[in-house]
Structures are given as structure tokens and as C-alpha cells.
Amino acid sequence: MKAPIRELADLAPLPLPRGRVADLVEDLRAEIVTGAIAPGATLVQEDLASRFGVSRMPVREAIKHLQMLGFVTVEDNKRARVAELSRADFVEIYDMREAAEALAMRSAIPHLTNAHIDEAADIQDRIEGVDPKGFGALNMAFHMVLYRPSGRTRLLAHVEMLFNAADRYVSMVSAGPELKAKANAEHRALLEHCLARDTDAAEACVRTHIADARDALVQFF
């Protein structure tokens, strides 16, 4: 028996939330990342709707999106909880990031313009002066500017999901000056490889950058 043919629309990345749902996703994500809502905590739709002054529907949609991002788990009884943190989960996220981002970087190189690279360099300037709470968003912005020219929308959505999942862990760590300096140097080296359109060097740089961060940060968990 042949498998049913799926329409192309069925293979598209899941849609991003909009309006009040998007605001709720961002607010709840920030509380989860910072630990204001603890791992394992139950998310009660009625309580959240009352706290944010909305109906249960946008809360339900926000929880579904947070589940797709890996911040929330939904049990068989439909109870939603903040996903637990673990060393194994952290390592898995970074292993997946290494594979996915290496592919994204390799795919993007033929389509990168100097304008893309200049934009990433401007973000890196900001990264070097940002406080730890602002690092995650800028770090994702830096990498995504370099990956988006690949045009691989499903891969890019997967990479963004992994960045969001990793941010929960990275926000817990106060990286020392040596680790920060190393990460900044690796970003600068990646920009040079991109300027040279050196696909192999850029991919290798991304792999090393993510693997070294994983190995350095795993001790905290």
C-alpha cells in the first residue's frame, strides 16, 4: 500500500503566533527562561488568563506554541507543566544545534552578501557589550542573519527552536571572561570565513563553536 501523498502546505514550518498570543508567548517564555516560573510548575489556564487579563483561548494557544518550542510539556490529562531541566537535555540540544547549524551555514554561504555579513558584524559589536540577560537574543540574531540566506525555511525554524531551548540553560550561567572572549573570537573568525566565502572553514567554525560551548557549559548542569 502506497503512503498518501502530502500537500506541500502540510510540510511548511508551523505558523508564528500573532497579536496577543505572541505577547503571551514572549512573556511566559521570559518568565520560564529567567526561572520566575520554575521547572515542573503547572500552568493553569484560568490563573494565567486572569493574571494577563485575557480569555483562556489565547492562553491555550500560547501554551501550545511553548510546547512546540520545548518549554512546556503536556501530560495525558492535558495538564501543562514547564519542562524540567537536565544535563542530558542540554547535551542533546547542543548536539542537535551542531548538526543543524553546520548544515544551515554550509547552505547559506553561496547566498551570503556583504550586507548580511555587515549586519552580523554590527550585532557582534553589541554582543561584546551586552549583559548576560541580553546575550541569548543577540547571539541568536547573529547566527540567524548568517543562516537565513540559505532559504531553507524548515531547517531555519528547527534552528530557532533549538536556540530557544538552549536559552533556558545559558541564562543560568554566568560565563567567565575567558569563555566570553573565546566565544567572541569565534564569532569574529566566522565572519572572516563568511567574507572569504570559505564554506568548509565556516562550517567547521560553527561546529567547533557549538561543541566547545557545550563542553564548557555542561559542568554547570
Side-chain angles (χ1 to χ4, degrees), residues 110-128:
H111 310 286
L112 276 179
T113 66
N114 286 348
H116 293 131
I117 299 168
D118 289 344
E119 184 179 355
D122 289 342
I123 296 171
Q124 179 57 30
D125 289 340
R126 295 168 60 195
I127 286 175
E128 292 175 13

Side-chain angles (χ1 to χ4, degrees), residues 93-102 139 143 162-163 166 210:
I93 289 167
Y94 268 71
D95 286 349
M96 293 171 70
R97 277 192 60 195
E98 181 183 344
E101 292 182 48
N139 184 55
H143 284 279
L162 292 172
F163 263 115
I210 296 171

Side-chain angles (χ1 to χ4, degrees), residues 25 131 176 181:
V25 168
D131 61 51

